[in-house]
Amino acid sequence: MAFGKNGRTDKRSSASSYCSTVTIVAFVALCLVGVWMMTSSSVVPVPSQDENKPEMKQQVSQTYTPQFEDNPGDLPEDAIKGDTNTSGNDSQDDNKKVPENNIEENQEPKFEEKKTESESEEASKTETENGGGEEKKTGDSNTENAEADTKTGGDSEAHNETTGEDKSESEENPDKTKQEDKVDGKIGEKVDENQDKPTANEVFPDGAQSEILNETITQNGAWSTQAAESKNENEVQKSSGSADFGYKWKICNVTAGSDYIPCLDNMQAIRSLKSTKHYEHRERHCPKEAPTCLVTLPEGYRRTIEWPKSREKIWYYNVPHTKLAQVKGHQNWVKVTGEYLTFPGGGTQFKHGALHYIDFIQEAVSDIAWGKRTRVVLDVGCGVASFGGYLFDRDVLTMSFAPKDEHEAQVQFALERGIPGISAVMGTTRLPFPGRVFDAVHCARCRVPWHIEGGKLLLELNRVLRPGGFFVWSATPVYQTLEEDVGIWKAMSALTKQMCWELVAIKNDTINQVGAAIYRKPMSNECYEQRTTSEPPLCKESDDPNAAWNVPLQACIHKVPVDESERGSQWPEQWPARVEKQPYWLKTSQVGVYGKPAPEDFTADYEHWKRVVNKSYLNGMGISWSTVRNVMDMRSVYGGFAAALKDLNVWVMNVVPIDSPDTLPIIYERGLFGIYHDWCESFSTYPRTYDLIHADHIFSKLKKRCNIMGVIAEVDRILRPEGKLIIRDNVETITEIENMAKSMQWEIRLTFSKDKEGLLCVQKSMWRPTENETIVSAI
């Protein structure tokens, strides 16, 4: 009986288990069906960003066939993080941080777009459901893509209306601007209401879409192509993460504070000078080791007012100096107006405005032809550079300079206004410019004793002045009859006669009650050969007039070139034709920097930079160029980068490193300007000078000569907060600079590489370290 009972119990248990199993299987099947339905292509997904659309990727891969100019081979698609949200999202979450994509060797780089919190969660959920962010299945319909594209365009317009802001409002309310511009804890670029955001096709248009990375051949010849791996930023730099990258930054503890210029504020070297009668204490005295500390910001520093409003006013706290306003206020140099420093446009010789004074010079000598024949001008002792600032209205580019002296912040005022300038003095060494390059030189009460010591200082102007160029001397000896002025006029008259300068005009300005004498440099050597005395003497044949780096001044006259094929024997084409025309003295027998015959090299360089600038820098980098005024090219070669920007409201300081081929005369021949410099030393400018710095294959060269950390500290010093640094270099150098930028909490806006060549675009932040480093030489 027991056996039979147990048998029935087993049968009931088996039946029960069987039912449970069927129920579970059915439930699981229903779950699977549900999951399948959720992931099916028949369900319209939440609109995602453009980089997740397989159709968009397919289109780009078909049309995007870029190549390095010197490294043939197709590039990956894109890796852009711009100022604006290219997907057109109309809101942003300051607190939510979007992890950045790593670009593997065989992985397509993506746009790094900023999402709203809800969109980030939706997109994250969609990626999880589709297998961890893999590409959507090809079953997505064209209709869905069209809808997504339509939404992108609509959101872009909405976003422009939301974030667009009147420029004057941003200037008057900088704190509001900073708050609204801050994206993901980083400083973002403001978007004008009428400024369209770059779409994928605009960022990478058809044709030469590789222009972001198209690199010309290096000075060492053609490159071979090799595969390389590039990594993008993995995570946003945390406030305490500077040591994570192996770099520890400190604030420079120096007497000059936020105005520190290492080579001009070397108090230790200045104290040891034997004499200062030739302004030796205002010349460059660089410390043995370049500082690796960062310069502090002035308290209350604000985003610089944009050009052209900046010509008339700047924020007081950006350059908090009032001495010039007190001393020169009656001459309309600068005035303190509330929270601004205002510039009425006057000067010692043109109290009633620079434009009238500029026209007064033109009326005195019509051949000066501002903006046509005369394009590049040197302004000696420029003050706040109003003369150069208003010459922009006449299409004239002016290199203004003045010493860092008791007239505090002259050049700093100029640079903050958006006017070119450097801190320099006419002392014991040559100016850092080639010979025979300036179309005109101007001196308005510049306090330079031209006539002393055999005319050594005036002869330096003769060296840099182009044959046939003008020297405009607006000073009291020209129009006043005081005993001292009369004596100086007689000495200057004798000196200029011996230099064979022709006095073409003396004219008085009745409105400003001043006068100007205008001289012209000869275009031949006949006058020199006919002189009755040999004072000043002619320079030796071995004396190179282009040698300018730390070369002592000499009281001698350089001969004028007379061979028609020699530079300086002919006047350049009138502006603007001269910017594109090959200099007549470039010979096909000469080998250019990149290995081609010099004229072909020049043309190829210009064409290259026009493509790079127009197809990438202007549209594909996410830079709002309305905020860019002061630009520096750290390694300029032929000036092609600056020439490509000629139609924008920017000026470019073209730097030719002292260890690079001397191509600076070519840059001047084009109607541009520049300077020689050794990047192992500090540049002769104030901190926070430039809005954008361009570095084309310069850092990899400097690593062989300098402490690269000191060079980056110098870049940080002269770049304005929120300013951009664009670097093109080898991948090893790009990675090193990227880590340094992260350690300074700069925003990594774009990083990309191909065949061991890379591109990096970073934006400086307001961050400053908390620890100090005392620079003994600057105390």
Side-chain angles (χ1 to χ4, degrees):
M1 293 293 294
F3 179 82
K5 184 179 180 179
N6 290 339
R8 289 192 298 270
T9 302
D10 291 342
K11 289 180 181 179
R12 287 195 299 268
S13 298
S14 298
S16 176
S17 299
Y18 176 79
C19 292
S20 299
T21 301
V22 171
T23 302
I24 293 172
V25 170
F27 178 79
V28 171
L30 288 172
C31 291
L32 290 174
V33 170
V35 171
W36 175 81
M37 291 178 65
M38 292 176 66
T39 59
S40 173
S41 61
S42 63
V43 179
V44 178
V46 176
S48 58
Q49 299 178 2
D50 289 345
E51 73 268 24
N52 290 328
K53 295 180 183 179
E55 287 76 17
M56 175 62 74
K57 291 184 178 180
Q58 184 178 4
Q59 178 186 359
V60 172
S61 64
Q62 289 174 350
T63 61
Y64 183 64
T65 56
Q67 295 179 350
F68 285 105
E69 289 184 328
D70 51 343
N71 283 314
D74 290 345
L75 297 180
E77 295 168 6
D78 48 57
I80 300 293
K81 180 167 76 171
D83 284 358
T84 60
N85 188 339
T86 55
S87 70
N89 296 333
D90 56 2
S91 62
Q92 297 168 332
D93 184 359
D94 289 348
N95 299 320
K96 190 168 185 64
K97 299 183 179 181
V98 181
E100 305 190 36
N101 299 321
N102 293 335
I103 303 177
E104 302 297 339
E105 184 173 358
N106 297 319
Q107 180 183 3
E108 295 183 0
K110 303 177 181 179
F111 287 103
E112 296 185 30
E113 303 186 12
K114 297 178 175 60
K115 312 171 185 177
T116 61
E117 183 175 0
S118 61
E119 287 174 329
S120 297
E121 291 174 355
E122 295 275 3
S124 190
K125 178 180 178 182
T126 303
E127 289 177 1
T128 302
E129 293 173 345
N130 283 297
E134 295 178 354
E135 294 184 1
K136 290 187 294 182
K137 298 179 181 180
T138 56
D140 287 356
S141 65
N142 292 332
T143 303
E144 294 166 3
N145 292 327
E147 290 175 358
D149 289 342
T150 302
K151 186 180 187 304
T152 300
D155 286 351
S156 179
E157 295 176 0
H159 181 69
N160 284 340
E161 293 176 358
T162 302
T163 60
E165 184 177 71
D166 183 72
K167 291 181 182 178
S168 61
E169 181 181 352
S170 67
E171 292 168 2
E172 305 297 335
N173 301 286
D175 296 332
K176 177 182 178 182
T177 301
K178 291 178 183 177
Q179 181 66 28
E180 292 179 353
D181 289 346
K182 198 162 185 180
V183 179
D184 292 343
K186 303 175 184 177
I187 299 170
E189 202 66 67
K190 208 170 50 125
V191 182
D192 296 334
E193 289 182 1
N194 297 323
Q195 179 182 343
D196 294 329
K197 299 177 184 177
T199 65
N201 289 333
E202 290 171 342
V203 173
F204 295 105
D206 292 337
Q209 296 172 346
S210 64
E211 295 309 330
I212 284 182
L213 283 177
N214 272 354
E215 179 52 57
T216 51
I217 303 171
T218 64
Q219 295 178 17
N220 297 324
W223 294 333
S224 59
T225 56
Q226 298 179 19
E229 182 177 279
S230 173
K231 291 187 178 180
N232 205 345
E233 187 180 12
N234 291 322
E235 60 181 0
V236 177
Q237 176 67 27
K238 297 181 181 180
S239 59
S240 61
S242 59
D244 295 341
F245 300 97
Y247 302 101
K248 186 68 174 178
W249 302 97
K250 297 181 180 180
I251 285 288
C252 299
N253 180 20
V254 293
T255 301
S258 60
D259 295 337
Y260 179 45
I261 306 176
C263 289
L264 297 182
D265 292 318
N266 188 345
M267 314 305 276
Q268 192 175 58
I270 292 172
R271 284 193 296 266
S272 64
L273 292 174
K274 297 180 180 179
S275 172
T276 60
K277 69 176 183 177
H278 294 103
Y279 277 75
E280 292 92 338
H281 57 304
R282 306 299 185 194
E283 294 183 313
R284 290 172 60 86
H285 302 283
C286 299
K288 293 181 179 179
E289 296 291 334
T292 56
C293 53
L294 306 183
V295 176
T296 186
L297 295 178
E299 185 177 353
Y301 181 87
R302 300 180 179 185
R303 174 185 288 181
T304 302
I305 295 174
E306 295 176 12
W307 181 269
K309 289 184 178 180
S310 61
R311 186 168 62 179
E312 280 71 46
K313 65 179 182 179
I314 63 174
W315 295 114
Y316 165 75
Y317 285 107
N318 286 13
V319 191
H321 300 292
T322 58
K323 186 173 182 178
L324 270 182
Q326 297 166 3
V327 176
K328 299 290 186 179
H330 66 290
Q331 295 175 351
N332 286 332
W333 279 35
V334 58
K335 298 179 181 294
V336 180
T337 309
E339 57 184 353
Y340 298 104
L341 291 168
T342 57
F343 301 86
T348 304
Q349 296 297 96
F350 42 92
K351 292 181 289 185
H352 297 286
L355 281 176
H356 166 76
Y357 176 75
I358 290 167
D359 292 337
F360 155 73
I361 296 172
Q362 174 76 68
E363 292 169 2
V365 180
S366 60
D367 286 349
I368 206 162
W370 295 125
K372 295 180 180 178
R373 184 182 188 273
T374 300
R375 162 65 180 175
V376 187
V377 173
L378 180 67
D379 188 15
V380 183
C382 63
V384 296
S386 288
F387 178 69
Y390 283 91
L391 273 174
F392 276 111
D393 292 353
R394 302 292 186 265
D395 274 342
V396 177
L397 196 58
T398 308
M399 176 74 76
S400 302
F401 77 89
K404 187 179 185 183
D405 60 8
E406 63 274 9
H407 279 172
E408 60 184 13
Q410 298 173 86
V411 171
Q412 192 174 18
F413 282 135
L415 292 164
E416 184 70 17
R417 296 173 70 188
I419 303 171
I422 59 170
S423 291
V425 66
M426 299 202 69
T428 65
T429 60
R430 291 180 177 178
L431 296 171
F433 313 118
R436 309 187 298 268
V437 291
F438 287 101
D439 303 334
V441 178
H442 173 257
C443 161
R445 296 280 289 274
C446 53
R447 300 196 304 168
V448 177
W450 299 116
H451 60 288
I452 67 171
E453 297 185 345
K456 184 181 295 185
L457 301 180
L458 194 62
L459 288 165
E460 171 62 3
L461 293 190
N462 186 74
R463 180 185 72 86
V464 300
L465 183 61
R466 190 182 298 278
F470 295 99
F471 173 57
V472 181
W473 187 39
S474 176
T476 54
V478 177
Y479 58 91
Q480 289 189 359
T481 57
L482 297 176
E483 182 178 355
E484 181 182 7
D485 291 323
V486 172
I488 293 174
W489 174 253
K490 288 182 178 180
M492 278 289 287
S493 297
L495 176 60
T496 53
K497 184 177 180 180
Q498 285 298 103
M499 291 171 58
C500 296
W501 281 11
E502 176 191 2
L503 179 60
V504 293
I506 297 180
K507 187 172 182 179
N508 292 324
D509 180 2
T510 55
I511 294 180
N512 286 305
Q513 296 183 340
V514 299
I518 303 176
Y519 300 87
R520 189 201 305 258
K521 179 179 176 178
M523 297 192 69
S524 71
N525 296 311
E526 294 179 7
C527 175
Y528 300 142
E529 297 167 353
Q530 296 172 359
R531 292 186 306 166
T532 56
T533 62
S534 58
E535 293 296 330
L538 295 177
C539 298
K540 297 179 180 179
E541 293 293 334
S542 59
D543 191 322
D544 183 0
N546 294 314
W549 190 251
N550 296 330
V551 176
L553 291 178
Q554 296 186 64
C556 65
I557 302 173
H558 289 94
K559 281 188 175 183
V560 172
V562 292
D563 189 323
E564 291 184 357
S565 63
E566 190 174 356
R567 180 175 67 83
S569 62
Q570 302 177 36
W571 198 266
E573 293 282 334
Q574 289 195 352
W575 179 264
R578 65 191 279 187
V579 74
E580 298 183 354
K581 187 174 178 60
Q582 300 172 7
Y584 65 88
W585 39 268
L586 286 183
K587 303 179 180 67
T588 55
S589 59
Q590 295 174 311
V591 178
V593 172
Y594 304 125
K596 300 178 181 179
E600 296 179 24
D601 225 38
F602 173 91
T603 301
D605 177 80
Y606 184 37
E607 293 301 321
H608 162 73
W609 285 113
K610 282 196 296 185
R611 289 193 298 269
V612 171
V613 168
N614 292 331
K615 294 187 179 296
S616 296
Y617 289 3
L618 297 185
N619 298 314
M621 303 287 284
I623 296 173
S624 177
W625 285 88
S626 65
T627 65
V628 177
R629 173 63 182 172
N630 304 350
V631 180
M632 172 182 281
D633 193 0
M634 293 180 68
R635 176 179 165 270
S636 295
V637 191
Y638 298 120
F641 170 69
L645 295 174
K646 64 182 176 60
D647 294 327
L648 299 184
N649 282 324
V650 302
W651 60 269
V652 181
M653 178 66 76
N654 293 283
V655 180
V656 173
I658 60 171
D659 58 346
S660 296
D662 185 5
T663 53
L664 193 52
I666 298 175
I667 292 171
Y668 276 91
E669 195 78 5
R670 306 182 73 170
L672 308 172
F673 66 12
I675 191 172
Y676 295 117
H677 184 58
D678 182 356
W679 281 114
C680 293
E681 302 175 355
S682 72
F683 194 75
S684 293
T685 191
Y686 283 85
R688 304 168 302 280
T689 292
Y690 290 92
D691 301 303
L692 186 145
I693 296 179
H694 186 248
D696 179 30
H697 288 83
I698 180 68
F699 291 113
S700 56
K701 299 178 183 298
L702 290 172
K703 288 196 299 183
K704 302 174 183 177
R705 301 178 51 237
C706 319
N707 178 357
I708 196 67
M709 190 172 174
V711 180
I712 293 300
E714 174 64 5
V715 170
D716 175 89
R717 188 184 72 85
I718 66 178
L719 187 63
R720 288 173 173 168
E722 303 185 19
K724 313 295 191 303
L725 170 64
I726 301 175
I727 305 173
R728 301 161 67 90
D729 220 308
N730 60 55
V731 170
E732 178 185 358
T733 302
I734 289 289
T735 302
E736 186 174 359
I737 303 303
E738 181 181 359
N739 287 335
M740 288 190 189
K742 289 177 180 177
S743 70
M744 294 188 291
Q745 300 191 31
W746 288 16
E747 179 183 353
I748 310 300
R749 304 181 64 82
L750 180 152
T751 180
F752 192 59
S753 69
K754 173 69 175 180
D755 297 333
K756 289 193 174 180
E757 291 300 318
L759 173 70
L760 176 67
C761 179
V762 294
Q763 178 171 297
K764 179 180 174 180
S765 69
M766 291 279 188
W767 176 82
R768 296 288 88 179
T770 55
E771 298 183 37
N772 291 336
E773 177 185 351
T774 299
I775 306 299
V776 177
S777 63
I779 298 296

